[in-house]
Structures are given as C-alpha cells and as structure tokens.
Amino acid sequence: MAAPRGEFSSRFGFLMAAAGSAVGLGNIWGFPTNAASNGGAAFLFTYLILAFALAYPALMAELIIGRHARANAVTALKSISPGPRSKMAAVAVGFAGIITVSFILSFYAIVSGWMIAFFFDPLARLLGLDGVASWLTTDAVLRNSIFVVVFMVMTVTIINAGVKDGIEKWASRLMPSLILILVLLILYVFTLPGAMDGLRAYLVPDFSRIADPLLLVDAMGQAFFSLSLGVGTMLVYGSYISKKENLPVIGSLVALLDVGIAVLAGLLILPAMYVALASGVEIFDAQGGLIAGPGLIVSVLPALFNTMGSVGLLVALAFFLLMTIASLTSSISMLEVPVAYGVENLGVERSRASITVGAVITAISLLIVFNFDPWFDRVVTTTTEISQPLLGFAFCIFVAWVWQRNGILEEIKQGDPDAESSLFFKIWPFYVKFVCPLAILVVYFQ
Ligand code: PHE
C-alpha cells in the first residue's frame, strides 16, 4: 500500500494552492486580451456571469468528489460509480484527464520557459552581458529546450516535496508575492501617458457584442481553462482538504480569487499596451485587433520596457517574475494529477513518480519544441478546446447523474452541518444536473 496521503494544513494553504493553480498564464495574458478583442467590459460582464453560474458549479463538482473519495481522479470517479459500466466510464474519464493535463503541461512548460528566459534578460543587461541578453530573447530551439528543462526541474522539485511541504509551502509564499507585484506594476503603469486609453478599451463596454456567440464561446473557454477544470486538478486538490472545511465557501473563495486576479491583470496589460502605443510600439495586428498570444508577451511588452530606460529593467524583471510565479503555481497542480495516480494506484514512491512523470512530460515538451510549427497549436487546441470542455461535461454527469444525491449531501455536511437548507444546496444540484452539461455542450458545438 502507498504512503499515507498528504493534506493541506490550513484553509489559507489550500486557498493559495488552489488559487495558484487557477491563476496562471490564462489569467494574466489570456483574459485581458480576450476582453480587449471582445468588446471590453461586455466580455468582462459575460465572463463574470459565466464564471459564477457555470464554472463555479463545475469547480464544486470536482472539489466535492475529490474530498469525498480522498483519492486521485481515477479512483475517485470509480468510487462514486455504482455499477460495472459506470466504473468503466469512470476509469476512462479519469485517464483522459490525466493524459490531457499532461499534454497541457507539456505546452505550458514551453511558454513558461520563455518567461524564465525573459526574466534573465534584464539581469544580463544589468551586468552588461548584451550578447547573453539577446540570446535569451531570441526564439531558438536551444534556448527553448534549456528553459523547458529548467522549468520542469522547478516543478518536479516542488511536487517531489509533497502536498504540505511542497505545494502548500510554495503556493503560500508565491501567491502573496504575485498579488503584490501585480498591484505595484498596475500603480506604476497608471502613471504613464496612454494608460487611461487602455483603461477605456478595457472597461468601456461595447454592449452590441454581448449576444455575439463567439464572445460566449471565448468567455466560457476562458472560465474553464482559468479555473483549471475538467482534468482532475481541482479534484486532486480537493482530496487534500480537511473534512472540517465548508466546501461551498472555500470553493467560492477560489473562484473569487481567480476572477479577481484576472480582472486585476486586465488593469495592468491593457493600460501597458496603450502606453506602448503612446511610445510608438505597434500594438495592433494586420486585422486591426490587439496583438494577443505570444506576440504580446515576447514582443509588445518587452518593446515597451525598452522605452523606459533603466526603470524598464526593473519593470521587466518584476513582470517576468510575475509570469514565472503564475506559471509555476499552475504547473505544480498539473503534475500532481498523474503523480497522485502513480503513488496511490501503482504504489510508486512519490519522488520516483514525480521524476518519472516529469521526465516523460519534459520529453514531450522537447518534441514539441523541435516540431514547433506543426505541433504546438495542435496540442493547445486539442487539449484546451476539445478535451477540457468534454471532460468538464463528464465530471458534471458523474456528480449529478451517477452519484447519489444523498452521498453529495453527506459530503458537504461534513464541514457545514446545515448544508441541506443552504442556498447552495437548493440551487447547485439542479445546476450541475441540467444547466452545466447543457451549456457546455451548446458552447462546445458552437
Ligand atoms: N488555470 C491555469 C491558467 O489559468 C491553467 C490550468 C489548466 C491549470 C488546467 C491546471 C489545469 O493558466
């Protein structure tokens, strides 16, 4: 039998870990540019509604199953399935989650590697090593490979240390630093010319866009990716929460933190882009939309920092530190999914499991680095646009249609004795049973 399971030692620790998983590249660069190209505050408004009406119930489904079963995704889904057929489906969904999250990590590690390289760039320039600086910021297979490995070593090291001494300890240190850096950067950017135009682009709603199906699809995809749903991450983190905790409350805090940090990130990125515009940097692409994707982070913002003189070095350092922290607290939650399975179901020691799985995922990342153009976008699309929503759908079906209502109630009651009469329990079961699966399918087939 495997070693005893880990558990988060405090509510704060869990919150930082789960918010750390949720807050990642998706919030800091996905959300703001999505908002800017989808009608500003109209997107923000739709996103807020979808995040709380659909993503939060789906998050609760994962947390409740996880804490109930106190096991990895495969075992947990199996344990709530009564018959042999539903158990087979449980194994299939659990494994699909493990595979999906491993592929998500394989592309995430590449982008996170860029963030580390760009973090070292201002340091190199401070030391007068201009050759090194230009190597760090030039896209190349060697650079990308080295930083994928660096990032994966950091991820494996934290996971290797366990739930309390690895995940909880690092998330509790890194997440408050992330919020502090983010706020300081926002305050600084607000003092620069052009910032208010960016604020306007972000916050003035273009309500003619609100019924646009594309906006809905984008907002929904963003909410699911951002809350790390559908791949068992939140289920596994939920399995480490103490039975004393009130799950609906703790889940809503995670959702609030995630949404709050995405909204804050918008206050940084869009004003920064318009400051860049005011200093002569191109921020629109050929179609007239704002530059999003990698171009935003690895060319527009660095170009902006370059116009700021020596302060720019400091700002660049802070910004890429922020991005690295956001990536790392997400990547550890991804690696934990397959590692928890290896430890619990295959009886592998934690350090062996994390090193082996980490090595396999690093190898996949390197293959993608070597075949970047044909593979990168394909892996991103397949995992986040196809697999993740379908798995989110499957989790809702499991919790609402396969599991007995009484089982759910018993689980929530552990940390909240009055759960039965709570508003949450009046609304949520209906939501995960009908509204969530339907909405996911509708958006999926859009
Ligand atoms: N939520 C993370 C982000 O916003 C990404 C993620 C997806 C993390 C799936 C874990 C699982 O970047």
Side-chain angles (χ1 to χ4, degrees):
M1 202 38 219
R5 297 192 91 239
E7 185 171 302
F8 290 114
S9 69
S10 66
R11 172 182 277 209
F12 178 77
F14 167 76
L15 277 179
M16 291 302 107
S21 167
V23 174
L25 300 172
N27 301 56
I28 298 181
W29 113 37
F31 176 78
T33 44
N34 247 326
S37 46
N38 279 302
F43 180 85
L44 183 63
F45 184 71
T46 317
Y47 178 76
L48 289 180
I49 294 182
L50 287 183
F52 286 103
L54 290 178
Y56 168 67
L59 167 70
M60 287 311 301
E62 287 200 34
L63 291 181
I64 294 173
I65 300 176
R67 193 181 67 170
H68 166 78
R70 290 227 161 293
N72 64 85
V74 175
T75 310
L77 288 174
K78 245 168 88 180
S79 78
I80 59 166
S81 308
R85 277 208 195 163
S86 53
K87 280 203 194 312
M88 249 158 67
V91 173
V93 171
F95 271 118
I98 292 179
I99 293 170
T100 303
V101 83
S102 304
F103 276 97
I104 293 183
L105 180 52
S106 72
F107 79 73
Y108 212 80
I110 299 175
V111 181
S112 308
W114 298 339
M115 300 302 109
I116 304 179
F118 274 81
F119 168 78
F120 283 117
D121 160 55
L123 288 179
R125 278 190 286 153
L126 268 176
L127 297 172
L129 304 170
D130 288 348
V132 177
S134 94
W135 178 80
L136 284 166
T137 51
T138 308
D139 189 28
V141 169
L142 179 65
R143 181 206 68 174
N144 293 346
S145 309
I146 292 177
F147 285 100
V148 158
V149 174
V150 170
F151 182 74
M152 285 304 295
V153 167
M154 289 159 70
T155 305
V156 168
T157 309
I158 297 179
I159 287 305
N160 195 3
V163 177
K164 197 163 126 264
D165 298 328
I167 300 174
E168 178 171 354
K169 187 163 120 193
W170 279 97
S172 307
R173 286 177 183 167
L174 293 176
M175 285 308 286
S177 329
L178 177 142
I179 296 175
L180 182 70
I181 298 173
L182 184 58
V183 171
L184 289 177
L185 281 172
I186 293 172
L187 292 177
Y188 176 66
V189 166
F190 270 22
T191 64
L192 303 175
M196 292 307 128
D197 294 329
L199 203 57
R200 227 167 283 130
Y202 178 41
L203 292 181
V204 174
D206 173 1
F207 279 117
S208 65
R209 298 289 305 277
I210 213 151
D212 183 348
L214 257 181
L215 180 148
L216 274 176
V217 177
D218 277 359
M220 170 104 179
Q222 177 67 38
F224 265 76
F225 183 75
S226 186
L227 273 175
S228 314
L229 295 177
V231 289
T233 327
M234 288 300 183
L235 187 153
V236 171
Y237 273 15
S239 76
Y240 303 134
I241 304 179
S242 145
K243 291 276 183 193
K244 293 196 291 283
E245 290 294 350
N246 181 328
L247 281 181
V249 169
I250 212 171
S252 59
L253 289 175
V254 173
L256 273 176
L257 273 169
D258 181 52
V259 170
I261 294 179
V263 172
L264 269 183
L267 293 178
L268 170 66
I269 301 293
L270 288 164
M273 288 183 87
Y274 280 78
V275 171
L277 181 68
S279 345
V281 177
E282 187 52 72
I283 64 167
F284 297 103
D285 58 21
Q287 286 79 41
L290 278 175
I291 295 179
L296 165 65
I297 303 290
V298 302
S299 70
V300 174
L301 294 180
L304 165 67
F305 303 146
N306 281 339
T307 64
M308 294 176 172
S310 43
V311 184
L313 290 181
L314 206 68
V315 176
L317 207 62
F319 179 76
F320 287 107
L321 181 62
L322 173 80
M323 295 303 271
T324 305
I325 294 177
S327 304
L328 192 60
T329 52
S330 296
S331 67
I332 54 179
S333 75
M334 298 178 201
L335 184 60
E336 182 62 20
V337 177
V339 166
Y341 176 81
V343 171
E344 290 168 13
N345 290 26
L346 307 177
V348 186
E349 218 188 309
R350 191 172 181 86
S351 65
R352 269 219 18 226
S354 47
I355 293 172
T356 313
V357 180
V360 172
I361 295 176
T362 308
I364 300 175
S365 294
L366 291 175
L367 282 175
I368 301 176
V369 165
F370 283 102
N371 300 281
F372 193 85
D373 286 332
W375 288 9
F376 184 80
D377 280 344
R378 209 169 289 166
V379 176
V380 175
T381 322
T382 316
T383 52
T384 62
E385 286 172 25
I386 300 177
S387 243
Q388 236 188 329
L390 285 184
L391 288 168
F393 173 80
F395 275 104
C396 290
I397 297 295
F398 266 100
V399 82
W401 293 88
V402 178
W403 200 9
Q404 304 296 331
R405 193 181 151 93
N406 271 345
I408 302 176
L409 184 60
E410 283 316 307
E411 182 51 45
I412 304 178
K413 266 188 168 170
Q414 307 226 23
D416 176 17
D418 307 322
E420 200 165 357
S421 55
S422 67
L423 186 64
F424 177 81
F425 205 70
K426 287 199 182 95
I427 301 176
W428 180 79
F430 172 77
Y431 249 89
V432 269
K433 198 158 192 167
F434 301 105
V435 184
C436 287
L438 204 71
I440 296 174
L441 283 189
V442 168
V443 172
Y444 183 73
F445 285 107
Q446 288 277 1

